[in-house]
Structures are given as C-alpha cells and as structure tokens.
Amino acid sequence: VLFRVRSGLPYTPDVIHNSRNRAAVPDDFPIGGTNSQYSPWNLRMDLKASKSFTFSNGLRIMPFVKVINLLDKKNPVRVYSATGAADDDGFLGTAVGEFLADTYASSASQFGGKSEFLSRYNDRLLDSLMWDVPRQFRFGILMDF
C-alpha cells in the first residue's frame, strides 16, 4: 500500500474571467503576489498485491493486481487562478456572467434557456487535465522461465 499526501501547489491569483473564451480578456492579469495562493492538498492511496507460484519445471508465475487511487478521491492537480478550484472559474458569479445567463433565459436561443446555458458552461469547465487519475485497476501475470 502506498499512501501519498501532497500539499497544494502555488499559483498566482488572477481576475475572474470567462476561461472558456480566453480571447475576451488578457491572458495574465494578476491580482495578488506571484505564487501567493495554494491549491488544495492531495491524498492518494495505491495498492499492489501479488502471489508467486513456482512449478517443478522451473516456471514461476506471479499474477498481480494494482489499484491506482484506491479510494477514488478527486484530487485537483491544476486550478483556475481566479477561484483556486478545479471545477469553477467564477465567471458565472460575475455581473457579465449573470447577464449572459439571464440573456439566454429570456430568449429561445440554441442554449434552451438559463438552466441549459449554465449546464453547458459548467460542462465545458470539466477538463480532465485539471484532475489526478480516477480509480484504475490493472491486472497482469509475470512469468519467469
């Protein structure tokens, strides 16, 4: 069993902006000191189990199972610099974000109203590169002959 605890990584706080439309704002507009904030801590437990069998002809086999992220903990490895969260850029809470959501709520747009707009925007924030690996199972057999 391997249990890892990692402190959060430093990042520089930035202004809240629409992270899905980077062309709308400058790429870097810090509002705090360089690396003055820290992302959340990470905890991960991995497990490896194996059993060796030796036969009279000298053949040795060893089946194994390896479980990565045994507890299936969602560990952020990157965060949005405006909020420090891996799943929220803070844009929908701004005046511009609320205006856009209300605009789509009052019209029969391609987004299907406010709830559909909010759902689609939040879905676009779900980036697999922001998170550590989910639970994974690996099975195998090692053979010596």
Side-chain angles (χ1 to χ4, degrees):
V1 175
L2 177 63
F3 184 68
R4 293 188 288 184
V5 178
R6 186 174 67 189
S7 67
L9 299 173
Y11 69 92
T12 303
D14 203 350
V15 297
I16 294 176
H17 57 272
N18 181 345
S19 60
R20 298 293 92 192
N21 185 7
R22 296 291 291 178
V25 295
D27 278 349
D28 188 22
F29 192 74
I31 58 171
T34 302
N35 293 334
S36 61
Q37 297 291 319
Y38 288 87
S39 62
W41 282 65
N42 284 272
L43 307 168
R44 188 169 110 184
M45 183 182 299
D46 298 337
L47 171 77
K48 183 176 181 183
S50 62
K51 174 69 175 155
S52 180
F53 300 96
T54 304
F55 298 95
S56 60
N57 62 357
L59 176 67
R60 185 173 71 106
I61 63 171
M62 186 170 62
F64 68 89
V65 61
K66 184 174 184 179
V67 184
I68 300 170
N69 195 4
L70 178 68
L71 304 175
D72 201 22
K73 178 132 175 34
K74 286 187 74 169
N75 288 311
V77 293
R78 292 180 48 213
V79 295
Y80 291 104
S81 58
T83 61
D87 56 357
D88 180 19
D89 66 353
F91 177 69
L92 293 176
T94 65
V96 175
E98 289 178 8
F99 172 76
L100 283 176
D102 290 340
T103 300
Y104 288 114
S106 61
S107 66
S109 68
Q110 75 264 18
F111 292 108
K114 184 175 184 174
S115 64
E116 185 66 19
F117 171 78
L118 296 174
S119 176
R120 286 184 183 201
Y121 188 88
N122 286 321
D123 284 346
R124 292 190 71 192
L125 294 178
L126 300 176
D127 184 351
S128 62
L129 298 176
M130 304 291 272
W131 303 95
D132 195 7
V133 296
R135 182 185 302 136
Q136 295 178 1
F137 293 91
R138 298 181 181 174
F139 302 95
I141 297 176
L142 295 173
M143 294 190 320
D144 288 334
F145 48 92

